[in-house]
Amino acid sequence: MKPLSSETIKTVQATIPFLSENGMKLTEHFYKRMFKGNPEVKEFFNTSNQESGAQQRALGSAICAFAQNIETPENLAAAVSRIGNKHASLGVKPEHYPIVGEHLLGAIDDLLDPAPPEILTAWGEAYGFLADVLIGAEDGIYSSQENQEGGWSDFRNMEVIRREHESKWITSFYLKPVDGKPLPTFKPGQYITVRIPTPDGSTTMRNYSLSGSPEWDHYRISVKREVPRHADTPEGYVSSYLHTKLAVGDSIEVRAPAGDFFLQDHPAETPVLFLSGGVGITPLLSMLHSADKNPVTFLHGAINGEFHALRDEVLELDEKRENQNVHFRYSAPSDDDLQNKHFHSEGLFTTEFLAEFITPETQVYFCGPKPMMQHIYKALNSLEHPEEQIHYEFFGPHDELAELV
């Protein structure tokens, strides 16, 4: 791969103030431009995240981070891994990168009205460099997905063999291949991608964490139905489709497991802490199935028992293991919850509460609503917990937690 020239690096760095001030405006214009010029790429994007502006903010942050680290691209290794996995889960291919490049440079040119030629040349070279890095990462993921035992490329039809109501808003779907062939294993914490039709005749895709054990002969996703938070916001199209239309015996298109948030191989004596809130329990429950050699603490937060999904499964695992501690904490427990022996405490995951379960050696994994994750990350920092022992996953466009607290 050809390294970037010093002139290109200096020119891109000179655009950092512009990107910092106009990142949102740039990415909003970029997406409008691309969807108008190449509507075929719309299926790769979550319309809800587009409407909320979350996707635009995430892309703006990523572009600025690339410019800031253009001399030290090794600092972006974690971001490349995350983005590469996300792209591979959706089926992004090398032929899609020129489309993005064309409209990104076009958006820069439009906003600078026009952009100086040296800026477009520099960003064209820089984008080509980044595209090559991502294409290489994605090629490795595609190869691994296809060549492992039971693996496949593109989409595979899965039959819904079972549905289970888990809580007020969460339903589990158990999936087996229609072709009857075995499924590949996955790393606990990873996700699959489902593709469904849309009213306009196209398709759309979403990622859902695998909530079961890698040792099962089927996959399970546990999906929260996204209901409108305000009168002027739509409900989640895909989650509502799954909840209201996908029945036992139906089939759905699925891509192979992907994702870089998964349980690491820690020495047997290393304590592991799982922290989950709401539907964030899904990847951590998968990890819990596999974390049988380490001392494990599993903390789950919910509003109350009505919103607590997969509780019985966690308790069943707890009964089978001696080195596991489970604690359920509700922010607004009902009267019935207060009488339930499996309800443990009331409140939020405060710093003082978390300190009771953390030692300097603890490996911490957490997932849940963004406000909860912001708070946990801030709490871990205040406890001076080592950064390399903190692992987390967002559901939706990724933001660095350090930038949010």
Side-chain angles (χ1 to χ4, degrees):
M1 186 182 303
K2 183 180 177 181
L4 294 172
S5 67
S6 58
E7 184 177 351
T8 290
I9 290 173
K10 290 179 182 178
T11 303
V12 168
Q13 288 174 329
T15 65
I16 291 175
F18 167 79
L19 295 172
S20 299
E21 184 176 349
N22 299 282
M24 188 69 174
K25 186 186 299 184
L26 173 66
T27 54
E28 285 178 343
H29 183 61
F30 158 74
Y31 279 118
K32 289 177 182 178
R33 200 180 193 280
M34 183 170 66
F35 291 158
K36 181 179 180 180
N38 294 89
E40 70 273 15
V41 302
K42 279 187 176 181
E43 72 165 347
F44 295 117
F45 299 91
N46 185 316
T47 54
S48 296
N49 291 333
Q50 285 287 320
E51 291 171 3
S52 70
Q55 189 71 60
Q56 293 89 332
R57 285 191 295 273
L59 178 60
S61 295
I63 292 173
C64 199
F66 174 61
Q68 291 168 339
N69 290 277
I70 195 166
E71 283 189 291
T72 54
E74 62 274 11
N75 292 345
L76 301 174
V80 167
S81 175
R82 183 178 64 249
I83 294 169
N85 273 276
K86 181 67 71 173
H87 284 183
S89 77
L90 300 171
V92 174
K93 298 295 176 64
E95 57 265 29
H96 295 123
Y97 280 90
I99 295 173
V100 174
E102 174 191 347
H103 293 292
L104 178 61
L105 294 180
I108 293 173
D109 194 30
D110 291 342
L111 259 63
L112 291 177
D113 193 32
E118 62 270 21
I119 288 181
L120 293 180
T121 299
W123 265 103
E125 184 181 341
Y127 174 77
F129 175 86
L130 180 60
D132 286 344
V133 170
L134 289 171
I135 289 170
E138 290 151 20
D139 183 63
I141 297 169
Y142 286 131
S143 177
S144 175
Q145 289 176 331
E146 186 174 1
N147 295 323
Q148 67 176 310
E149 184 177 357
W152 76 93
S153 61
D154 202 28
F155 285 89
R156 189 174 181 183
N157 285 324
M158 300 273 184
E159 179 185 355
V160 180
I161 60 171
R162 179 180 165 193
R163 278 181 54 133
E164 288 290 340
H165 179 73
E166 305 288 4
S167 71
K168 183 172 182 176
W169 296 118
I170 297 174
T171 296
S172 287
F173 301 85
Y174 294 72
L175 308 172
K176 263 196 168 184
V178 171
D179 60 22
K181 296 179 180 179
L183 284 168
T185 188
F186 59 91
K187 297 176 181 177
Q190 290 190 306
Y191 52 80
I192 57 174
T193 304
V194 302
R195 181 169 70 178
I196 66 168
T198 57
D200 65 3
S202 61
T203 59
T204 188
M205 296 177 281
R206 295 292 186 275
N207 301 133
Y208 292 109
S209 295
L210 289 157
S211 60
S213 169
E215 297 182 1
W216 293 352
D217 65 353
H218 57 274
Y219 288 162
R220 182 181 69 185
I221 55 174
S222 302
V223 179
K224 177 186 176 185
R225 184 172 183 180
E226 297 295 341
V227 297
R229 296 183 180 180
H230 308 285
D232 59 346
T233 58
E235 66 179 359
Y237 175 76
V238 177
S239 66
S240 295
Y241 178 96
L242 298 181
H243 275 251
T244 62
K245 296 185 178 180
L246 195 65
V248 173
D250 290 344
S251 64
I252 189 170
E253 293 183 305
V254 175
R255 290 193 68 91
D260 64 348
F261 176 67
F262 52 82
L263 181 63
Q264 306 292 320
D265 185 18
H266 303 298
E269 68 278 5
T270 302
V272 175
L273 173 61
F274 296 129
L275 291 164
S276 63
V279 75
I281 193 173
T282 51
L284 299 183
L285 177 53
S286 180
M287 294 183 190
L288 185 65
H289 273 281
S290 300
D292 54 1
K293 73 175 185 177
N294 297 94
V296 169
T297 299
F298 191 93
L299 305 183
H300 180 69
I303 298 172
N304 54 46
E306 187 180 14
F307 293 88
H308 187 170
L310 300 157
R311 179 180 64 185
D312 291 345
E313 189 168 320
V314 173
L315 292 173
E316 288 173 8
L317 289 171
D318 187 41
E319 290 178 1
K320 296 176 182 177
R321 299 174 181 172
E322 296 182 355
N323 62 343
Q324 182 171 299
N325 176 34
V326 170
H327 189 106
F328 300 141
R329 189 168 174 87
Y330 297 165
S331 58
S334 66
D335 290 340
D336 288 342
D337 292 327
L338 296 175
Q339 304 302 317
N340 191 318
K341 67 177 181 179
H342 299 305
F343 164 71
H344 300 109
S345 66
E346 178 179 356
L348 303 175
F349 287 163
T350 63
T351 302
E352 295 73 21
F353 175 76
L354 295 178
E356 299 177 20
F357 302 93
I358 295 176
T359 70
E361 296 77 28
T362 301
Q363 294 285 340
V364 181
Y365 294 80
F366 63 103
C367 184
K370 185 178 287 187
M372 185 203 87
M373 295 184 67
Q374 291 173 313
H375 177 75
I376 289 176
Y377 189 81
K378 186 175 182 179
L380 293 172
N381 278 326
S382 70
L383 294 171
E384 298 184 348
H385 201 65
E387 187 73 27
E388 65 272 13
Q389 293 168 215
I390 299 174
H391 319 272
Y392 59 85
E393 171 107 303
F394 274 126
F395 289 160
H398 195 279
D399 296 293
E400 289 298 332
L401 285 178
E403 298 175 0
L404 298 172
V405 296

